[in-house]
Amino acid sequence: MHTLKERLDVAVSIAHEAGELIRQARADQSFSQRLKAGDELVTDVDVAVDQLIRERLNTYFPDEALLSEELSPAHALNADVSKLWVVDPIDGTVNFAQGLRHVAVSIGWMEEGIAKVGVVYAPFLDETFSAAEGQGAYCNQQAIQASKVTRLAETLVGTGFPYQKEARQKLLARLNEVLAHCRDVRRNGAAALDLCDVACGRLGAYYESVSPWDFVAGWVIAREAGASVGHLGTVPEGVPADLYPNELLVTAPGVYEAMHRLLLDADHA
Ligand code: IPD
Ligand code: CA
Ligand code: CA
């Protein structure tokens, strides 16, 4: 039996080792890139980092399931959630390839469908976000908290858009309402960091549909920081909410209801 704290410490050290590989790869500029599934960018660093994290987790937790973007993405929602590691080796691949700094390693762990441990490490920003259930959330070991904002007009909102161009159009009505009623919008290109930015109060809200590896770790961090976490739509029967990646809404507690209404009303405007 490992405590949550032991799991968190191992995950932080693996994320730091993975981050060093990412920093080195950028310094060397020797990686190749290609498109997967038609329009999603992937580099050979994504795969190498996934492999490294997988090897390390297998050493410490050989009997536990692992869902990772590059090496085991299939059947994500049918994964064995009794003890499950959920890994995005590079969140923000486009940023990584373009030399931008919003890039993160994301490692989450869930037990019986409840996400309990999360680490999001941003190697170019030098920030390690971490949380374990019931133990608060931290950035570089300093406790963090979600914003106290209560008005949409003062809420800075993060979001993102799917790689599939045809899926973007229907998100414009929501974006339009957010631009009309909230402070402004940021599209920083790494969902895990968007969640952490809500956790530490830099953003007042974040909404997007993603994949499990993009959000599980950041979800724990946001929840432990006092943010409200939920979905705009219904979570299907039998799927743990903490693994269900569609229509996420993560906000400062004072604006959750108002953001929820704003985004759903936009669909019928
Ligand atoms: C992407 C980023 C981006 C989000 C996309 C994700 P990737 O992850 O998190 O912010 O908008 O939906 O797929 O592909 O860089 O790991
Ligand atoms: Ca990702
Ligand atoms: Ca990724």
Side-chain angles (χ1 to χ4, degrees):
M1 265 310 269
H2 298 272
T3 63
L4 294 182
K5 176 76 172 66
E6 283 164 355
R7 291 176 178 281
L8 183 61
D9 289 347
V10 169
V12 167
S13 97
I14 295 173
H16 284 167
E17 189 182 353
E20 185 50 40
L21 195 60
I22 294 170
R23 260 198 307 266
Q24 199 55 54
R26 174 169 286 176
D28 297 346
Q29 280 296 311
S30 58
F31 55 87
S32 62
Q33 348 184 339
R34 61 189 163 81
L35 292 178
K36 63 174 181 184
D39 32 25
E40 284 192 43
L41 189 71
V42 60
T43 73
D44 48 12
V45 188
D46 295 70
V47 179
V49 175
D50 201 323
Q51 190 67 47
L52 171 86
I53 296 172
R54 173 170 292 265
E55 280 167 21
R56 295 293 181 270
L57 286 175
N58 276 335
T59 305
Y60 286 99
F61 310 104
D63 302 327
E64 299 187 4
L66 170 56
L67 175 65
S68 70
E69 179 170 14
E70 308 306 339
L71 298 174
S72 62
H75 310 301
L77 297 183
N78 300 323
D80 170 8
V81 295
S82 59
K83 283 188 171 48
L84 177 68
W85 292 92
V86 185
V87 172
D88 194 343
I90 300 185
D91 186 43
T93 293
V94 173
N95 286 346
F96 172 69
Q98 298 277 146
L100 289 162
R101 295 188 305 161
H102 267 75
V103 171
V105 178
S106 176
I107 303 178
W109 182 76
M110 58 171 36
E111 184 174 38
E112 305 306 341
I114 309 291
K116 295 190 172 176
V117 170
V119 176
V120 174
Y121 174 51
F124 304 112
L125 303 172
D126 225 351
E127 289 188 325
T128 305
F129 293 91
S130 61
E133 186 185 49
Q135 297 173 29
Y138 297 83
C139 177
N140 292 349
Q141 299 180 327
Q142 300 291 311
I144 53 173
Q145 275 199 324
S147 156
K148 304 263 183 284
V149 70
T150 56
R151 299 180 58 234
L152 289 186
E154 292 162 6
T155 302
L156 185 62
V157 181
T159 190
F161 305 97
Y163 287 106
Q164 300 71 25
K165 300 282 190 288
E166 62 287 357
R168 293 180 171 184
Q169 195 64 30
K170 68 173 197 281
L171 297 171
L172 295 183
R174 288 181 180 177
L175 184 63
N176 207 26
E177 287 303 291
V178 171
L179 287 169
H181 295 281
C182 300
R183 173 160 280 165
D184 209 337
V185 169
R186 295 290 179 268
R187 198 293 188 241
N188 288 329
L193 288 176
D194 290 336
L195 285 152
C196 292
D197 281 337
V198 174
C200 68
R202 294 170 182 159
L203 293 175
Y206 161 75
Y207 70 96
E208 190 176 3
S209 290
V210 292
S211 295
W213 41 83
D214 298 308
F215 88 98
V216 170
W219 186 257
V220 182
I221 294 164
R223 185 158 58 199
E224 282 296 316
S228 300
V229 303
H231 296 82
L232 289 164
T234 323
V235 177
E237 187 90 17
V239 177
D242 286 6
L243 194 63
Y244 187 63
N246 290 4
E247 301 207 288
L248 305 177
L249 176 62
V250 178
T251 78
V255 293
Y256 189 87
E257 288 310 320
M259 278 301 300
H260 197 273
R261 208 173 320 116
L262 182 79
L263 292 164
L264 287 187
D265 285 355
D267 294 347
H268 308 113

